[in-house]
Amino acid sequence: MKSTFLYILVISLFFQQIYSQENKENFALKFKIKYGNESLIQNKKYLSLSKDTLQLENFRFYISSIKLILKDNSIISEDNSYHLIDSEDPISQSIPISIKSKSEIKKVMFSIGIDSSASVSGALSGDLDPTKGMYWAWQSGYINMKIEGKSSSCKTRNNAFQFHIGGYLKPTYAIRTIELEPKISNFDINVDLSNLFNQIKLSETNSIMIPGLKAMDIADKAKSMFSVSESLSYEK
């Protein structure tokens, strides 16, 4: 009886170890796009702290240079790390990353935007394909973040606002680095648009279409959108 119990215990620990390793190797960095405490819904009306009523029609942004720093101080980094996250494409919001170490993740680092080497490389494929609608030209590079929608606060045609944020050359460098420290092993990265729009008055700022000081200001404010939380969709 005792030997049977020990046998079951050993087998259980063995499969648990295998599962743990497989689970790490199948890790995915998941982005949850939200407005406040709820998932973002296209064309739904939201209210900012500036009393702007707004509807989001398009929200896309590039994530690049992903690095995971583990608690054993090893670093997992991607080659050719460029990903286009689209609020209307759930598949784009999950980035698979192979982690062969058993150590937990201590820090997540990535950039919002596309670096100079990719911006001047000419015709590229995949998420960097210019047909994705996120590329200006080699002089200006990629649009790091595109936010489009409507608000009655905007005295523009069709009450539209447009933020096409980019710029890879100084002095109008608009790429920003995000560093997050998860306190739990199963986590999501929240992207909360309310944290950006709470810092903007759409009656005053509603159209940014080229690199410049205004684009850099929005890029700075956009950093506040990113945080970590416990994953509610974690699958065992």
Side-chain angles (χ1 to χ4, degrees):
M1 190 77 175
K2 190 174 181 180
S3 60
T4 302
F5 173 78
L6 288 174
Y7 175 77
I8 294 173
L9 179 61
V10 169
I11 293 296
S12 175
L13 291 172
F14 174 74
F15 280 105
Q16 184 178 1
Q17 183 177 8
I18 291 177
Y19 162 75
S20 177
Q21 185 67 23
E22 288 179 348
N23 195 48
K24 274 291 188 66
E25 290 183 3
N26 294 327
F27 173 79
L29 202 58
K30 296 180 181 179
F31 292 82
K32 300 300 181 183
I33 301 174
K34 308 170 69 177
Y35 196 97
N37 294 323
E38 60 181 82
S39 297
L40 181 71
I41 300 176
Q42 191 177 40
N43 291 315
K44 179 176 179 176
K45 289 187 178 180
Y46 297 101
L47 183 66
S48 74
L49 291 179
S50 301
K51 306 301 181 185
D52 291 323
T53 300
L54 58 116
Q55 297 168 270
L56 279 301
E57 297 177 341
N58 187 11
F59 178 45
R60 313 172 88 200
F61 59 95
Y62 275 112
I63 293 297
S64 63
S65 303
I66 295 174
K67 290 184 180 180
L68 304 179
I69 301 175
L70 308 185
K71 288 184 178 179
D72 63 5
N73 291 321
S74 60
I75 299 175
I76 309 295
S77 58
E78 280 193 318
D79 295 327
N80 300 314
S81 181
Y82 305 108
H83 303 274
L84 180 59
I85 311 296
D86 188 336
S87 64
E88 291 299 298
D89 180 7
I91 293 176
S92 75
Q93 299 163 26
S94 182
I95 301 173
I97 300 174
S98 178
I99 304 177
K100 296 184 179 180
S101 170
K102 295 179 182 179
S103 183
E104 298 294 336
I105 297 170
K106 179 171 68 174
K107 183 182 291 188
V108 179
M109 299 176 63
F110 54 85
S111 294
I112 309 171
I114 302 299
D115 57 32
S116 59
S117 60
S119 293
V120 300
S121 293
L124 296 171
S125 59
D127 280 357
L128 294 177
D129 192 321
T131 61
K132 299 286 185 180
M134 296 290 286
Y135 187 71
W136 279 314
W138 70 267
Q139 297 96 329
S140 302
Y142 283 86
I143 300 170
N144 298 334
M145 180 176 293
K146 181 181 285 189
I147 308 172
E148 299 173 331
K150 295 179 180 179
S151 171
S152 57
S153 299
C154 300
K155 306 308 176 186
T156 56
R157 186 177 180 182
N158 297 322
N159 301 119
F161 60 81
Q162 294 179 307
F163 300 122
H164 294 187
I165 307 304
Y168 69 93
L169 294 173
K170 294 182 178 179
T172 57
Y173 186 78
I175 300 170
R176 296 293 180 266
T177 298
I178 303 295
E179 296 187 15
L180 301 171
E181 297 184 8
K183 303 301 182 186
I184 48 179
S185 59
N186 50 309
F187 63 90
D188 292 330
I189 296 179
N190 291 331
V191 189
D192 186 353
L193 278 155
S194 72
N195 288 339
L196 173 62
F197 282 97
N198 286 341
Q199 302 177 72
I200 299 172
K201 289 186 178 181
L202 289 172
S203 59
E204 299 173 1
T205 304
N206 48 54
S207 181
I208 300 174
M209 304 296 288
I210 58 174
L213 294 177
K214 290 182 178 180
M216 290 193 296
D217 179 59
I218 296 295
D220 289 335
K221 289 180 168 64
K223 291 179 66 176
S224 68
M225 296 193 301
F226 295 86
S227 64
V228 291
S229 67
E230 182 176 1
S231 175
L232 300 179
S233 58
Y234 181 66
E235 296 179 358
K236 294 185 178 181

